[in-house]
Structure formats: structure tokens, C-alpha cells
Amino acid sequence: MPTPSMEDYIEQIYMLIEDKGYARVSDIAEALAVHPSSVTKMVQKLDKDEYLIYEKYRGLVLTSKGKKIGKRLVYRHELLEQFLRIIGVDESNIYRDVEGIEHHLSWNSIDRIGDLVQYFEENPNSLEELRNVQKRNEEEQTSSS
Ligand SMILES: [Mn+2]
């Protein structure tokens, strides 16, 4: 199993390759706001663990194992953003909160959150009821403060 840090790298590398067709050490460093030497070190570890193949002058490619995990990690991130948006979390908190929780949930929890997101998509009335609860709670908070 990849560590949280390895997951962040695999997720970013997968997205860069999807977007641009390649992932350079400098692009990965920029995306994760880390030093290029940290990227090189991690990329070597990911190569050793067979998530990708790294050749210094030719760049890197994900193995099928790396691709499979990368795809799931990107899905997980997007699902959690959708989930927080649905339950009414402020847009300005969403990205940071997802980065904070994504590595710490079991796939079991991810799948059940997926069910919940689907449930709200299929039942707009329920979503409206949830919004009503939120409105009520906000009004109570304002009137009691
Ligand atoms: Mn993420």
C-alpha cells in the first residue's frame, strides 16, 4: 500500500499525464509545492515499488499498477469534493479539506460516500430538505448569538 505522501505523488503524476501527456520532475514539484530533489527521491522510490518507470533523461511513465491506483486516487479526490459541495461546505474550504481527509478514509467509507452522493443526485427533494435543515440551523445560530 502506498503511504499518504506516495498517494499525493501518484495522484499528481496521473493528473499531469492526463492533462499534458507527460509529467516532468519540475511540474510535479510545482504542483505539490516541494523541492525538485524531493520529487526525484520519491520518483525513485515509486519506481522501485513498480508504480512507474523513471529514466533520467526520458521522463517517467506510470506502470499499469500506477495507472490503476492513480485513477482511483483522482476519483477519490473528485468524489470527496463533490460530497463536501453537496453537504454545503463553503467552496473556499473544499480543496484544503479534501487534501486533509482523503488519505485517511477506508475504501469502504469512500464507496458509501459515493452511494450518498448518488442518492442526493437522484433525489433532488432530499437535497432541498437538507438545505432547509441548514437554513434553520443558521437562523438559530444567528438569533442566539
Ligand atoms: Mn488530492
Side-chain angles (χ1 to χ4, degrees), residues 113-129:
I113 288 172
D115 295 342
L116 187 68
V117 167
Q118 187 184 341
Y119 168 76
F120 278 118
E121 280 174 349
E122 290 174 2
N123 297 277
N125 291 342
S126 304
L127 189 58
E128 207 159 314
E129 281 175 36

Side-chain angles (χ1 to χ4, degrees), residues 64-113:
S64 63
K65 173 181 160 183
K67 267 186 222 162
K68 196 172 149 213
I69 292 179
K71 194 173 175 180
R72 291 183 84 196
L73 296 176
V74 171
Y75 161 76
R76 183 178 69 185
H77 183 108
E78 286 169 357
L79 174 70
L80 290 172
E81 283 201 2
Q82 236 183 322
F83 168 62
L84 295 186
R85 207 163 277 130
I86 280 176
I87 62 169
V89 173
D90 290 342
E91 203 57 41
S92 59
N93 291 324
I94 287 180
Y95 184 80
R96 202 189 49 222
D97 284 358
V98 170
E99 286 302 307
I101 61 176
E102 61 183 349
H103 308 295
H104 308 288
L105 295 171
S106 64
W107 286 99
N108 181 212
S109 291
I110 297 296
D111 288 342
R112 299 295 70 80
I113 288 172

